[in-house]
Amino acid sequence: SGGAEAVARARADLADRVFIKITSTSILNSSEQRLHLCRDGYAALDSSWSNDATGLSGTSRVEGSWEVISAEYTAATATARVRLFNADGETFRTFFAQGARVSIDGVEQTQVAASDLCAVRP
């Protein structure tokens, strides 16, 4: 099913969640991205990286807002097209879920959980 009901359902399913992607390019290099989608429309992308060989690491946060622009549910899958706004403009992401597996733009996420950041927002 699609339409307005599917959009509302997708918004409820995505709200107050964090989508975590951990990448290790070697035993010494790793990066992590955490996309928080809060119920009030706030979005934050937290990125961190480290290189154990050099001892260097870094973090960043991009803040903005989000909205579901389309969604479709079947008996086994869910797909949502999400618009993210921030100071650099807007981007579109496709969220796809089948069972416990979730991907964003075809990239499987390491973990999906309740957002600790959204939980402390007023």
Side-chain angles (χ1 to χ4, degrees):
S1 68
E5 286 183 17
V7 167
R9 180 178 173 188
R11 186 167 190 352
D13 287 347
L14 296 172
D16 292 340
R17 297 271 180 254
V18 59
F19 300 85
I20 302 167
K21 176 62 182 160
I22 299 171
T23 305
S24 295
T25 56
S26 74
I27 196 166
L28 299 175
N29 293 310
S30 65
S31 66
E32 180 175 309
Q33 289 195 320
R34 292 175 170 254
L35 176 60
H36 301 266
L37 301 178
C38 300
R39 186 165 308 283
D40 64 0
Y42 173 80
L45 177 62
D46 292 332
S47 301
S48 62
W49 61 272
S50 65
N51 181 317
D52 291 342
T54 62
L56 298 175
S57 64
T59 62
S60 67
R61 173 174 282 172
V62 176
E63 298 178 298
S65 61
W66 70 284
E67 68 178 355
V68 176
I69 58 170
S70 65
E72 183 177 333
Y73 285 82
T74 69
T77 65
T79 305
R81 189 82 168 138
V82 174
R83 181 183 297 156
L84 297 164
F85 299 94
N86 62 47
D88 294 330
E90 65 180 13
T91 58
F92 295 87
R93 300 284 181 249
T94 300
F95 289 68
F96 178 78
Q98 184 171 24
R101 297 175 69 170
V102 175
S103 65
I104 301 174
D105 294 337
V107 177
E108 190 162 341
Q109 301 300 287
T110 307
Q111 181 181 1
V112 178
S115 169
D116 54 340
L117 178 64
C118 296
V120 299
R121 286 186 52 81

